[in-house]
Amino acid sequence: MNFEIQKRQLAQLPRDAHDALVVVWSPGADSGQDLIGEWVNMAVKAGDFEHKAGSVLQSYGMAGVKARRVVVVSCGEGKTADHKAAILAAWASLKGAKVQSLGLHWTGDVSPEQMMQGAVALADASYTYTTTLSKPKARALTRVSLSAESVTAAHRHAVDKAAATVAGIETAKEWANRPANHATPSDLATAARAIAKGPQMDCTVLGPKEVSKLGMGSFLAVAKGSAEPLRFIVMHYKGGKTQDAPVVLVGKGITFDTGGISMKPAAEMDEMKFDMSGAASVLGVFKSLSILRPQVNVVGLIPATENMPDGTAVKPGDVVTSMSGQTIEILNTDAEGRLVLCDALTYAERFKPRAVIDIATLTGACVIALGGVRSGLFASDDQLATDLQQAGEASGDLCWRMPLDDDYAEGLKTKFADVANVAGRAGGSITAAKFLQRFAKKYPWAHLDIAGTAWKSGAAKGATGRPVSLLLEYVTGLTVAPAAKKVATSRRRAA
Ligand code: BES
Ligand code: MN
Ligand code: ZN
């Protein structure tokens, strides 16, 4: 998707040659002196257009306007969520129309953040998956010209960030959407190498032998039942100074989760191809970094394997030794995400990280707790939690902090190993996080449970590309000096 940004007045828009023109209307913006303004005034007087977020007015072949379609949409009270809803309503009203190039104009005040979220929402709504279709239809919308009456350097930066975010989201969606036979651990490794081709980036891929040598007995146990060899993917983005401690992103890369010997029921099991959405979000963030090139160091770790039942598969009750030295009793082979992540978390120690964030479709319990709106956020460090929460609000890719009281770890106790991999049903997303926390003691750590937010089920089945926006916002925020960041945050609150 190509974005450009220009300063423009309402009266200039009729001359712009787009397939469609979307005007986000603010109350009080109607001068009435120009073609589009007069048209809107007429509709308002007739009671056909109101200042309610998402209220839409559309015309075709308007005399004097180059764009075949013009859609005016109200942004209601002008809150960021209203802007997003307005743009999505305008796009929905264009459903079925051939729109390759689109002008997106704001008549009133629009913050850089609103512009970014609007651009990302539009790209999200116009995305289509095509990889495994025999006759792929090319995506229609490829060019978006954003414009507003006043355009600052911050708006231009926001549009650059939006373009990089969209590329990252689409990378994440692509890999998460692919069926498991088109997205094996080896395929993910190939994708990671391709993304890391650019300057300041590199990628190393370890196989079963190297992973054995590292002592990752927990990760290896999950991979035992699969005919596909596991891969441990290590990516580097070096935008900062050599001595700057990196942020480490760890993505759960279960390319298919059958549950193993503790097998899942058949209904909707196909959705377990999305169980590498955490890994896909790490690939997505690296794609974004390759475009945006912020001055920060980032490491990406992806433990990738299938979770399969087999004569060689790990069995309930088996005890394995993790890379940390802690022994784990695997009471349920379907709680495999934590088993691959714990070894990656231990591996992360070698980077002396400023923070480690793991991203995982970890528990069905998190879907029950938070649904598809907010990802579950768990953190051992309050500053890191606050930074991630704020990155979520700024990007519209929301999360919600969950507790980590030690009492929640009671159920993980067992006679037969240092820790069990499951506790009871109660508080399942929290007990999973408590398990991971045991392996993340040496640095500030956060865990994002994206089981509810990484994909949609039903008619809209497909990957969402979350939480690429949140992570990119967080990572780029680290390059801003603390004082400047404070200003940015208070402005955000005001908006
Ligand atoms: N990948 C699943 C979690 C999941 C389930 C994500 C449903 C999205 C929708 C994970 O590996 C899993 O199976 N978790 C178990 C843990 C349980 C055995 C303690 C779960 O949530 O049921
Ligand atoms: Mn599972
Ligand atoms: Zn899983």
Side-chain angles (χ1 to χ4, degrees):
M1 181 87 80
N2 266 309
F3 291 106
E4 55 172 19
I5 175 164
Q6 285 168 309
K7 183 176 171 226
R8 227 121 184 75
Q9 308 304 319
L10 194 58
Q12 298 174 291
L13 298 181
R15 273 172 277 149
D16 292 344
H18 308 295
D19 293 327
L21 172 65
V22 171
V23 181
V24 182
W25 203 260
S26 296
D30 32 344
S31 67
Q33 297 297 303
D34 55 271
L35 211 56
I36 296 173
E38 267 175 31
W39 176 56
V40 173
N41 278 347
M42 193 169 80
V44 171
K45 272 193 203 125
D48 287 330
F49 182 69
E50 35 176 7
H51 284 310
K52 226 176 76 191
S55 173
V56 165
L57 185 65
Q58 199 188 125
S59 94
Y60 188 90
M62 197 183 207
V65 181
K66 273 198 181 153
R68 288 196 312 282
R69 290 169 195 269
V70 180
V71 181
V72 174
V73 60
S74 168
C75 69
E77 291 171 34
K79 284 186 285 188
T80 300
D82 297 334
H83 280 257
K84 212 156 127 179
I87 290 162
L88 289 175
W91 179 252
S93 81
L94 288 167
K95 201 175 171 201
K98 279 198 194 104
V99 182
Q100 279 186 308
S101 70
L102 183 116
L104 177 56
H105 178 80
W106 281 266
T107 58
D109 279 348
V110 55
S111 71
E113 207 167 280
Q114 287 166 341
M115 202 175 254
M116 180 180 76
Q117 287 199 28
V120 171
L122 184 62
D124 183 58
S126 63
Y127 165 89
T128 46
Y129 170 81
T130 60
T131 310
T132 41
L133 303 182
S134 68
K135 297 183 190 74
K137 234 171 74 191
R139 177 205 199 126
L141 183 64
T142 51
R143 278 202 323 272
V144 180
S145 302
L146 304 152
S147 61
E149 285 164 8
S150 142
V151 168
T152 64
H155 286 97
R156 292 181 190 283
H157 179 68
V159 173
D160 287 343
K161 198 149 94 182
T165 305
V166 167
I169 288 175
E170 292 188 357
T171 298
K173 283 185 179 178
E174 169 65 21
W175 283 100
N177 278 332
R178 283 196 194 196
N181 64 330
H182 292 262
T184 63
S186 307
D187 291 335
L188 293 189
T190 306
R193 282 205 198 91
I195 289 166
K197 272 258 150 63
Q200 297 172 297
M201 290 197 142
D202 64 54
C203 175
T204 321
V205 178
L206 311 185
K209 259 197 209 141
E210 293 100 331
V211 165
S212 262
K213 235 188 229 149
L214 285 165
M216 294 183 167
S218 185
F219 179 19
L220 281 163
V222 175
K224 269 178 69 184
S226 172
E228 283 291 336
L230 67 78
R231 292 289 181 262
F232 188 68
I233 305 167
V234 184
M235 303 175 82
H236 287 275
Y237 167 70
K238 297 167 184 164
K241 300 191 191 84
T242 321
Q243 70 272 19
D244 291 349
V247 171
V248 180
L249 304 178
V250 183
K252 173 178 171 183
I254 299 297
T255 59
F256 196 79
D257 182 12
T258 65
I261 298 298
S262 316
M263 198 181 272
K264 288 184 181 296
E268 280 140 42
M269 204 208 269
D270 66 288
E271 295 193 3
M272 283 302 131
K273 72 173 183 176
F274 294 117
D275 210 19
M276 35 59 74
S277 296
S281 77
V282 174
L283 294 178
V285 169
F286 273 76
K287 177 72 185 181
S288 301
L289 292 172
S290 75
I291 296 167
L292 206 57
R293 308 208 155 278
Q295 294 179 5
V296 59
N297 293 331
V298 186
V299 176
L301 301 178
I302 299 175
T305 178
E306 292 179 339
N307 183 25
M308 298 290 281
D310 186 72
T312 62
V314 71
K315 302 169 290 300
D318 284 1
V319 174
V320 299
T321 305
S322 65
M323 185 180 179
S324 72
Q326 297 178 73
T327 59
I328 303 165
E329 186 186 21
I330 301 178
L331 287 173
N332 189 322
T333 64
D334 197 12
E336 84 299 336
R338 61 198 79 179
L339 295 174
V340 305
L341 291 170
C342 69
D343 281 338
L345 288 170
T346 302
Y347 186 88
E349 288 171 7
R350 68 186 56 201
F351 303 107
K352 302 196 167 42
R354 65 187 286 175
V356 176
I357 304 161
D358 75 70
I359 308 105
T361 49
L362 203 62
T363 63
C366 195
V367 188
I368 302 300
L370 296 173
V373 180
R374 289 178 186 261
S375 303
L377 166 67
F378 301 82
S380 63
D381 182 273
D382 287 341
Q383 185 60 51
L384 180 56
T386 305
D387 288 351
L388 287 168
Q389 277 171 312
Q390 277 175 2
E393 302 298 324
S395 62
D397 187 354
L398 305 169
C399 61
W400 193 257
R401 192 170 183 189
M402 302 279 280
L404 277 173
D405 303 274
D406 282 336
D407 286 346
Y408 283 110
E410 279 301 306
L412 294 170
K413 286 188 176 152
T414 166
K415 273 190 215 164
F416 301 104
D418 298 345
V419 66
N421 79 326
V422 290
R425 271 166 56 81
S429 71
I430 311 170
T431 55
K434 288 307 286 181
F435 177 91
L436 292 176
Q437 192 180 18
R438 297 173 63 100
F439 301 86
K441 297 265 178 226
K442 304 218 167 119
Y443 41 69
W445 163 76
H447 157 59
L448 287 165
D449 193 332
I450 58 168
T453 53
W455 77 85
K456 292 183 179 149
S457 305
K461 193 195 283 184
T464 60
R466 292 177 68 182
V468 169
S469 300
L470 183 161
L471 293 168
L472 191 69
E473 184 70 32
Y474 166 73
V475 167
T476 54
L478 299 173
T479 63
V480 183
K485 203 167 140 190
K486 226 178 188 170
V487 175
T489 314
S490 57
R491 226 191 275 127
R492 211 172 272 158
R493 287 223 185 80

